Amino acid sequence: PRLSLFGLTRMPRSYLEVLAAIATGREVHLFVLHPSPSLWNSVAAELRGGPAIAARRHDRTAGLPDNRLLASWGRDVRELQLVLTGGGDSVDHYHKLRTDEPGTLLAWIQQDIRADRQPPGPALPGEPDDRPRLHADDRSIQIHACHGRARQVEVLRDAVLHLLAEDPTLEPRDVIVMCPDIETFAPLIQATFGSGPSADDEEANADGPLDRLPDLRVRLADRALRQTNPVLGVVSQVLALADQRATASQLLDLAAREPVRRRFGFDDDDLSRMQDWVAASGIRWGFDAPHREPFQLGNVSANTWRRGVDRMLVGVAMTEEERPLVGGVLALDDVESGAIELAGRFAEFVDRVHGAVRSLTHPQSVRDWTEAIAGVADALTATGDRQSWQLRELQRLLDDVVSESANGAEEREATLELADVRALLADRLRGRPTRANFRTGHLTVCTLVPMRSVPHRVVCILGLDDGEYPRRARRDGDDLMLAEPHVGDRDPRAEDRQMLLDALLAANERLIITYTGNDERTNVRRPPAVPVGELLDIVERTVRCDSGSARDAVEIRHPLQPFDPRNFIAGKLVAGARWGFDPQALAGARALSGPRLPRGPFLPAPLPPRAEAVVELSLVIRFVEHPTRALLRDRLGISVSEYFDEVQDAMPVELDALEEWGVGQRLLEGVLGGGERRACMQAEIARGALPPGELARPPLAKIGAIVDQVVEAARTLADGTPGSLDVSVPLPDGRTLAGTVTGVCGDTIRAVSYSRVRPRDRLRAWVQLLALSAARPGRPFESVVIGRARAGVRGANVTAARIPPLADSPDARRQVALEQLAVVLDLYERGMREPLPLACDTSAAYAQAVAAGEDGEPAARDAWETVFRYDKEDRQPEHMLVHGDAIPLARLLVEAPRDDEGWEEAEATRFGRYAMRMWRGLLGVEELNDR
C-alpha cells in the first residue's frame, strides 16, 4: 500500500498519519515544493551523520542555511524534511524547475535563496563592489508604505493598473493578491476596485495612464462561510449573542440581515420605524429581568426588551395622553393604526430570538446542539428558491459535526458547553482555500495560506503591518508541549514566514508588498513588519543603486490622501511616471493646487419678493425665533440639521441636560393637564428614561421641586384650561395674516416650559399677542411666558415674562397691534429674501443692553461667540452655512446700513439697526419677573 502527498510546502496537519504509515512499513511518496535544493542536500547530509534531534533547541540543522531569508523564513520547510526523512531510509529525486538567467532584483534574490547563498553586501571602503547594479526601471520588487488599510488597497489598485498599462501581454488573471486577513480587507477591496472610473470618463488625460484604464474585475476567494452564506452569518451572530447582553443595537442589526428580513417581512421603512420604537420605548439591553441574572441585575426589569415590547403592544390599543399605567406599563404613543401589523411582527421577532438564545445556553449533547442550531435557523431565517442552497449548506455542516462526533456505532454522550460549540464550529465557518473563485480569469484576491502560492507573473501581498504579521501565537498555559518545543511542532509565526517565502518564490516577474508605514491620524512613521524589514535588508545586500540606497529605491512612501498632488506629478513617487489613476482624485488635486478664490456671498443678490395672498402666522413666528433657519427652510428648502433618537445600549445611571429637560417637560405638562403629580412620576419611571431603582429618586426629586415652582407660578398668573383661537388679520397691503394661537387661558396667552425663559419664547409670545390683539381687539389679551430662571440670574428659580394688554381701548389696541405687526412683517419679508445680520439670542442681548443705557457689543459678543462648554449661535449649522464658518461678532458689525434701512438712525451698524427694530417694541412693554 502507498500513501502519496502532493504539494507540501510546510508541515501538514496530518503528518502524524505519514509517520504512522512509515512506521508500519508502508511506502510513502511525497511530492514536496522546496525553496532550496542546496539546503535540502545540506540537511540530508547532516542527517546521515546521526539521528534527527527531537528537541528544537538541540536542532543542529538550524545553523545550516547561509541565506538570511531562507534561515528566517524557511524553518517550517526545513523541519518538514527532518520529520519526514529523519526517521528511516529515504530516497529523494530533485525535479528542477525552469529558471531564467537573473536580470532583475527579484530574480537575483530568488536565485540566492535556491542556491542558499548570502548576498555579498556593501563593499568596504576602497574595495570593489561586486553587487549588480539596480536598473532605474527595475520594478520587480515594490514595497509601498501607506497610511492605513484603506489607503493600502487604493495604492495596490494603482500599482496593478500601472503593470497592466505598461505590459499589453499582462492580464488580470496573471495577478494574484494575497492577504493575511481577507475578511478585514474584503469590504475595502470591493469598495475600491468596484468604484473605478468608466472607460468613457471625460477626465481621461492623454499624457498619462488615465487615458487607458483597464477594466479590473476582482474575485474574492477563501471568504469565511459566515460571509458568503447569509444563513450561516445569522447562526453565527445568534451563537455570539447567546451569552451576551442582547443590546438594542445587536437585535436591530440581526433584524437587518437579509434572511431575517425575508422571514419576518421587514423592509427599510420597517427597520427605521422599529429603530424609532426601540429608542422611544427605552430599550437598552436584556430580554427580561431573569436574562440579566448573570450580570447581577436580576431584579432590574427597566429598559429590557420585555418592558419595551409591552409598551409597544399597549400603544396599539391606547395612547399616552392620560398617562394611564396598564399593569405598570405605559403606552407608547408612536404606534399608529397603520403600524399595528408591524408591531406584531416585531414582537414575534424579539420572542423568537429570546427563545433561540434560551435553547443555546445550557449544556447538551452534540446531536442536541445541532438540532438547536437548525431550529434557530428555521425560526429566524427564510430563503427564496434560488437561495435554498444556504439552508442545505448549513444542514450539511451540522450533519458533518454529528458524524465526526460518532464513535463507531454509538454516539458519544459527552455534553458540550456553548464555548465548546463555538470552538467546534469556528474552524468550519472560517475562510479556507477552495477552488471557488480561484483562477477564474479575473484578478484573484485570496488569503495567505499554504497551497495558494501557485506561480503567477505578479504576486501582491496586502496588509503586512507591524504587530499584525506574523500572527501572534496564542500560548495556552495548560499546553505542556510549550515547555520543550520539538522539531515539527506547529508554530503560527514560523508558518506565516514560510508562506511569505513561498509567495516570494511564486512571483515570476513582480512582487508587490503593502504595509502601514504611517499612522493615518497622527502621521507618525511606523516600522514595517519584521519580515518586510528583513526583505529590505536583503535588497540592500543584493544590489547597489547609483542614485542612493537600494532600499529607498524599492520602498515608496505614499501620501495620506489619493488626491494629494504628488500622486499626479511625474517623478514624485515613481521615476518617469505619475502614480494616480483616479480621475476624481485628479480633479481634487487640481482644485487643491489651483488658485484659492475668495468665498462669495451666500446669495449674490436678494431674492425677489414672494407674491402670497395669505401670510401664515406660524411662518412669521418661525422667522422671529431663528431668522436664518427660516430663510433656508421656508424659502430655499434647505435643512442642515437632523434630529433623531439614537439607539442607546447602556442603561441610564444619570441624566444629562437634555434628558433632564425631557423628563421635566413631560412631568410639567402632565401636572398642568390635570394629572396627579405622583401618577405622572410613576409614568416617567415606567417610560424607562430615568435610572433604574433607587438611582431615579435624586434626579426625580430635583426635577419635581422645579416643576412644583413652575406650576405654582403658572396657576398664579394664568390659571385655567388652555385652548386655541383662530386669527385672520387684514393687512394694509391687501394680504391677510392667518393662523392659530394656542395656549389661550381666558384673556391670557400662556406658555409654560421646563426650559429657561429664552429670547425666542418671548418673541413668540409677542407675535402671538400682536396677531390676537389685531384680530380680536375687543378683548384685552395679555401674554405670559413662564419657565425656569433665565441664564445669569442668581437667586431665582422661575422667570415670568409678562406682556400686558397693548392699550386700554379696542381701537387703540388694534392700532398698536397693526403698527407693531407692520414692523415684524417688514423684517419677515426682508429675511425671506436674503440672510439678515440677525440672530435671536445675540440681538436680544444687544437690544437689552442698549435699552438699559449700556454698550451692547460686549453682551452681544458673549451671546454670539463660542468660548467654552457648548456651542453658541456662531456655530449653529445655519449660520455656518451662510457665513462660511464660525465668524466673530466683529464680522457682523462691519456692515454699514443700506439706504432703505433708515430706521433706528442712532445705530451705526446694520446689525444694530435690525436688532433694535426687532426688539424695541417688545422691550418697551415687557415685564420680567424673577422668583
Side-chain angles (χ1 to χ4, degrees):
R2 296 187 304 177
L3 175 65
S4 296
L5 301 178
F6 175 77
L8 293 177
T9 60
R10 66 172 180 85
M11 184 65 63
R13 295 184 179 182
S14 57
Y15 78 94
L16 290 178
E17 299 178 5
V18 179
L19 298 181
I22 296 175
T24 56
R26 299 165 64 187
E27 181 180 349
V28 181
H29 287 200
L30 302 176
F31 297 85
V32 180
L33 300 178
H34 198 278
S36 173
S38 298
L39 179 60
W40 180 279
N41 294 332
S42 298
V43 173
E46 185 69 23
L47 290 177
R48 286 194 291 270
I53 302 300
R56 182 171 287 164
R57 60 189 177 91
H58 296 146
D59 181 13
R60 60 179 181 267
T61 66
L64 291 179
D66 292 328
N67 185 277
R68 290 300 87 198
L69 279 187
L70 190 58
S72 177
W73 295 7
R75 191 186 78 181
D76 218 35
V77 73
R78 178 175 51 79
E79 292 190 354
L80 172 67
Q81 181 182 357
L82 293 177
V83 170
L84 296 181
T85 64
D89 297 334
S90 64
V91 178
D92 58 79
H93 302 278
Y94 173 55
H95 302 273
K96 183 177 181 180
L97 297 176
R98 183 183 65 84
T99 57
D100 299 329
E101 188 67 23
T104 64
L105 173 60
L106 175 63
W108 281 319
I109 292 178
Q110 290 175 340
Q111 187 184 58
D112 288 340
I113 292 175
R114 294 189 180 101
D116 189 17
R117 180 175 58 236
Q118 180 70 355
L124 296 175
E127 296 184 0
D129 197 337
D130 297 333
R131 295 176 298 171
R133 178 179 290 103
L134 178 65
H135 297 288
D137 58 349
D138 186 350
R139 305 295 301 159
S140 58
I141 294 181
Q142 303 176 29
I143 299 178
H144 300 275
C146 311
H147 292 72
R149 293 169 176 168
R151 190 74 180 107
Q152 288 186 56
V153 179
E154 293 173 345
V155 168
L156 176 65
R157 178 198 60 189
D158 291 340
V160 173
L161 289 176
H162 270 286
L163 299 180
L164 295 175
E166 294 167 0
D167 188 352
T169 65
L170 186 67
E171 300 180 10
R173 64 182 179 181
D174 300 323
V175 181
I176 186 171
V177 179
M178 292 187 285
C179 178
D181 188 3
I182 194 171
E183 297 303 334
T184 299
F185 279 89
L188 301 174
I189 293 172
Q190 291 172 334
T192 301
F193 284 86
S195 60
S198 60
D200 58 349
D201 200 309
E202 297 181 358
E203 291 290 339
N205 195 327
D207 64 350
L210 293 183
D211 63 336
R212 50 182 186 274
L213 285 172
D215 181 18
L216 277 182
R217 298 184 179 180
V218 178
R219 286 296 182 93
L220 289 169
D222 307 337
R223 298 293 306 278
L225 290 180
R226 62 171 63 93
Q227 300 295 336
T228 59
N229 187 331
V231 172
L232 286 177
V234 172
V235 170
S236 299
Q237 189 169 351
V238 176
L239 282 172
L241 190 68
D243 60 353
Q244 295 180 1
R245 298 189 306 161
T247 63
S249 57
Q250 284 177 329
L251 261 66
L252 288 174
D253 180 60
L254 180 63
R257 288 186 172 266
E258 182 58 35
V260 180
R261 294 179 62 168
R262 180 185 290 270
R263 177 65 180 83
F264 295 95
F266 297 147
D267 57 24
D268 292 340
D269 293 337
D270 294 340
L271 293 175
S272 179
R273 176 63 60 84
M274 288 155 50
Q275 180 174 342
D276 294 339
W277 285 346
V278 169
S281 59
I283 297 173
R284 301 301 175 89
W285 65 274
F287 288 106
D288 51 22
H291 182 243
R292 289 178 171 174
E293 188 64 42
F295 305 96
Q296 307 302 316
L297 292 173
N299 296 326
V300 180
S301 60
N303 306 111
T304 60
W305 283 98
R306 171 61 59 84
R307 293 291 293 269
V309 171
D310 287 347
R311 286 197 63 193
M312 282 184 265
L313 297 181
V314 173
V316 169
M318 59 191 304
T319 66
E320 189 189 336
E321 225 171 273
E322 300 297 332
R323 292 171 176 77
L325 296 182
V326 180
V329 177
L330 179 68
L332 183 66
D333 256 345
D334 197 23
V335 185
E336 67 274 6
S337 59
I340 294 177
E341 193 257 349
L342 173 61
R345 284 186 281 128
F346 186 39
E348 181 185 4
F349 162 74
V350 174
D351 184 67
R352 290 197 176 200
V353 174
H354 190 192
V357 168
R358 284 198 303 265
S359 68
L360 301 175
T361 54
H362 57 277
Q364 49 193 327
S365 66
V366 172
R367 183 173 296 277
D368 291 338
W369 273 111
T370 57
E371 292 177 355
I373 293 173
V376 168
D378 182 64
L380 297 179
T381 65
T383 60
D385 293 338
R386 301 184 63 179
Q387 293 83 29
S388 59
W389 61 271
Q390 300 172 9
L391 290 171
R392 291 197 298 270
E393 186 174 36
L394 170 64
Q395 192 58 50
R396 284 198 302 270
L397 186 148
L398 297 177
D399 292 341
D400 291 343
V401 171
V402 173
S403 62
E404 292 176 10
S405 66
N407 184 14
E410 298 181 0
E411 181 184 344
R412 295 177 181 174
E413 293 298 331
T415 58
L416 302 181
E417 301 281 349
L418 176 62
D420 302 327
V421 174
R422 286 178 181 161
L424 183 65
L425 297 178
D427 185 64
R428 292 169 171 81
L429 295 178
R430 68 175 178 86
R432 63 184 63 193
T434 62
R435 292 195 303 174
N437 288 345
F438 190 75
R439 296 191 70 90
T440 59
H442 303 120
L443 189 151
T444 303
V445 181
C446 64
T447 189
L448 187 59
V449 293
M451 296 305 297
R452 276 305 188 235
S453 299
V454 177
H456 283 74
R457 293 180 63 182
V458 178
V459 173
C460 307
I461 307 178
L462 184 66
L464 296 187
D465 298 344
D466 183 41
E468 301 293 334
Y469 200 86
R471 293 169 294 174
R472 295 183 177 90
R474 295 182 178 180
R475 301 291 185 177
D476 190 343
D478 296 331
D479 190 353
L480 300 181
M481 296 177 62
L482 296 177
E484 184 68 33
H486 280 52
V487 171
D489 288 351
R490 297 201 64 190
D491 184 357
R493 298 179 68 84
E495 293 174 7
D496 286 349
R497 290 173 179 268
Q498 179 65 50
M499 288 184 285
L500 278 183
L501 182 61
D502 297 339
L504 172 65
L505 296 176
N508 291 336
E509 299 177 8
R510 306 290 180 97
L511 175 67
I512 300 175
I513 294 175
T514 68
Y515 75 94
T516 297
N518 292 83
D519 189 273
E520 57 266 42
R521 292 177 295 275
T522 64
N523 200 36
V524 173
R525 180 169 290 199
R526 296 174 57 181
V530 173
V532 179
E534 293 173 339
L535 177 60
L536 288 171
D537 292 340
I538 289 294
V539 168
E540 188 69 25
R541 296 185 61 90
T542 302
V543 295
R544 69 179 189 271
C545 186
D546 296 336
S547 59
S549 170
R551 180 190 187 107
D552 295 337
V554 168
E555 185 178 21
I556 303 174
R557 306 198 73 87
H558 291 267
L560 170 63
Q561 301 293 354
F563 53 80
D564 191 293
R566 287 174 290 177
N567 292 312
F568 303 97
I569 300 177
K572 279 291 185 181
L573 298 181
V574 291
R578 63 187 184 187
W579 181 260
F581 275 83
D582 191 345
Q584 296 179 354
L586 174 60
R590 287 172 175 168
L592 186 64
S593 58
R596 300 289 182 93
L597 300 177
R599 185 181 184 275
F602 180 72
L603 292 177
L607 300 172
R610 292 192 297 182
E612 52 183 2
V614 178
V615 180
E616 296 184 28
L617 178 62
S618 60
L619 298 184
V620 177
I621 293 175
R622 192 148 60 190
F623 166 77
V624 298
E625 291 179 339
H626 202 307
T628 304
R629 181 181 297 168
L631 169 67
L632 295 178
R633 289 188 178 183
D634 301 334
R635 187 71 193 273
L636 301 179
I638 299 175
S639 177
V640 295
S641 301
E642 291 186 3
Y643 303 96
F644 56 91
D645 292 331
E646 294 187 0
V647 173
Q648 302 290 333
D649 290 338
M651 291 176 60
V653 294
E654 61 180 0
L655 299 180
D656 58 26
L658 184 59
E659 292 169 339
E660 179 183 341
W661 173 86
V663 174
Q665 185 65 26
R666 289 189 296 267
L667 193 59
L668 178 61
E669 292 173 355
V671 174
L672 288 177
E676 185 185 353
R677 182 176 181 272
R678 180 180 178 83
C680 294
M681 287 186 172
Q682 289 177 345
E684 286 304 312
I685 294 175
R687 188 186 303 277
L690 289 166
E694 293 297 320
L695 295 177
R697 291 184 179 274
L700 201 55
K702 173 188 172 184
I703 295 171
I706 298 176
V707 168
D708 290 341
Q709 295 174 351
V710 175
V711 169
E712 181 183 359
R715 290 174 176 171
T716 301
L717 297 174
D719 197 8
T721 303
S724 59
L725 294 176
D726 295 332
V727 297
S728 180
V729 182
L731 301 176
D733 57 5
R735 296 180 301 168
T736 301
L737 176 66
T740 301
V741 177
T742 59
V744 181
C745 299
D747 290 337
T748 302
I749 306 171
R750 188 185 74 178
V752 185
S753 174
Y754 188 80
S755 304
R756 298 185 184 275
V757 174
R758 295 164 296 182
R760 66 181 185 182
D761 302 323
R762 296 154 58 193
L763 282 176
R764 183 194 310 118
W766 173 241
V767 174
Q768 288 178 331
L769 178 62
L770 294 179
L772 204 54
S773 298
R776 302 169 185 265
R779 297 174 60 180
F781 288 105
E782 63 176 1
S783 178
V784 60
V785 178
I786 305 169
R788 295 164 62 192
R790 294 174 294 159
V793 178
R794 297 177 180 268
N797 296 320
V798 178
T799 293
R802 178 177 177 271
I803 308 175
L806 300 179
D808 294 333
S809 65
D811 293 338
R813 280 196 293 271
R814 179 179 178 82
Q815 181 66 26
V816 173
L818 289 176
E819 290 176 357
Q820 294 297 328
L821 275 177
V823 174
V824 174
L825 292 175
D826 177 65
L827 293 174
Y828 170 71
E829 293 298 333
R830 294 172 183 269
M832 288 295 102
R833 298 182 61 193
E834 62 176 330
L836 299 179
L838 190 62
C840 189
D841 293 350
T842 306
S843 62
Y846 182 88
Q848 289 176 175
V850 171
E854 302 172 358
D855 184 6
E857 185 174 338
R861 181 178 295 107
D862 183 64
W864 172 261
E865 296 180 358
T866 299
V867 178
F868 182 63
R869 294 183 61 187
Y870 59 91
D871 293 342
K872 295 186 180 180
E873 288 188 316
D874 64 334
R875 294 192 177 274
Q876 288 180 351
E878 294 82 4
H879 293 150
M880 294 185 68
L881 174 63
V882 169
H883 299 300
D885 201 355
I887 64 172
L889 181 68
R891 288 273 300 276
L892 292 179
L893 298 178
V894 297
E895 192 174 0
R898 300 175 182 174
D899 295 338
D900 61 340
E901 299 168 347
W903 12 261
E904 302 291 343
E905 297 180 355
E907 296 294 331
T909 65
R910 193 165 179 245
F911 165 79
R913 292 197 175 186
Y914 274 100
M916 295 308 299
R917 185 166 173 79
M918 173 72 81
W919 283 92
R920 186 174 293 278
L922 173 59
L923 294 178
V925 297
E926 186 183 38
E927 301 171 359
L928 287 174
N929 298 313
D930 299 309
R931 304 183 180 185

